Amino acid sequence: MDSGLPDEKVRWVFARPCEGIRAVAEEVSQPGYLIKLCGQVDELLAILPAGWRIVSESWIMAGPGTALEAPLPPGYRLSVKGDGPVTLAEIEAPDGTLAARGYAAENEQVFIVDRIRTQTAHQRLGLGRALMTALCKARQDDARPEILTATDEGRLLYLSLGWRVLSPYVTAELAP
């Protein structure tokens, strides 16, 4: 997938270890091209050629299929905007600054929640829960499975919302 992000030009995602990972890695000649695997660090390192390093470890999770209710703290405002298959949810703080943001995307097969972020000054107020509620309510087809990638900290939030861990998820990049 061509992501075009400042620190990520392209990513390849593999559901399991395979020789295709090595073939892709041997073609990469600069950082910013990420290989991601649903699996363990040692599984990915065993396949990659020399010069690659692990840049993150996280979790693939599946949603419960139902959105919970999550009220906002007083003074915070939620906005939800759809643009085709992508939904953006943002929470504005009482002072007008961005307190939290998250995205979701849906296609014929899956509903993906992505990039849930709460600014440090606004953490532990239930904003992540409110974002997840808003985004999951935007799902058009309740039969489509919900998935996301979670950090260790995010995993705790999602577990409390009824999500379950499917697999560890590891990311590697060619070392600079």
Side-chain angles (χ1 to χ4, degrees):
M1 177 178 85
D2 183 358
S3 51
L5 299 170
D7 59 344
E8 178 185 297
K9 296 166 187 66
V10 174
R11 76 173 72 158
W12 289 271
V13 179
F14 293 86
R16 66 189 63 80
C18 65
E19 279 305 310
I21 294 172
R22 178 176 280 284
V24 166
E26 288 174 345
E27 296 295 319
V28 174
S29 61
Q30 59 186 321
Y33 294 81
L34 305 181
I35 293 178
K36 297 175 175 268
L37 172 69
C38 295
Q40 303 285 341
V41 169
D42 58 340
E43 292 176 302
L44 184 55
L45 288 175
I47 297 169
L48 291 173
W52 283 78
R53 64 188 174 114
I54 300 302
V55 294
S56 72
E57 295 179 62
S58 52
W59 307 93
I60 296 291
M61 299 185 75
T66 57
L68 302 174
E69 291 301 318
L72 285 172
Y76 285 84
R77 290 177 299 285
L78 171 70
S79 67
V80 180
K81 301 171 196 149
D83 183 14
V86 177
T87 300
L88 164 65
E90 293 181 317
I91 299 175
E92 186 180 296
D95 66 3
T97 61
L98 180 67
R101 172 184 289 151
Y103 297 85
E106 187 170 12
N107 65 25
E108 298 79 27
Q109 299 170 340
V110 69
F111 180 81
I112 301 168
V113 178
D114 191 31
R115 294 179 280 163
I116 304 299
R117 301 283 187 271
T118 300
Q119 300 301 317
T120 304
H122 303 280
Q123 291 179 351
R124 308 284 182 254
L125 299 173
L127 302 184
R129 183 178 291 268
L131 279 177
M132 290 297 292
T133 297
L135 290 168
C136 290
K137 282 184 175 182
R139 187 168 54 144
Q140 297 295 307
D141 184 344
D142 289 343
R144 291 185 185 129
E146 303 163 311
I147 64 165
L148 59 75
T149 303
T151 61
D152 281 335
E153 186 177 15
R155 181 174 61 101
L156 297 175
L157 166 67
Y158 307 131
L159 287 169
S160 77
L161 296 173
W163 289 65
R164 69 185 193 288
V165 172
L166 295 176
S167 170
Y169 187 64
V170 61
T171 301
E173 175 182 43
L174 189 62

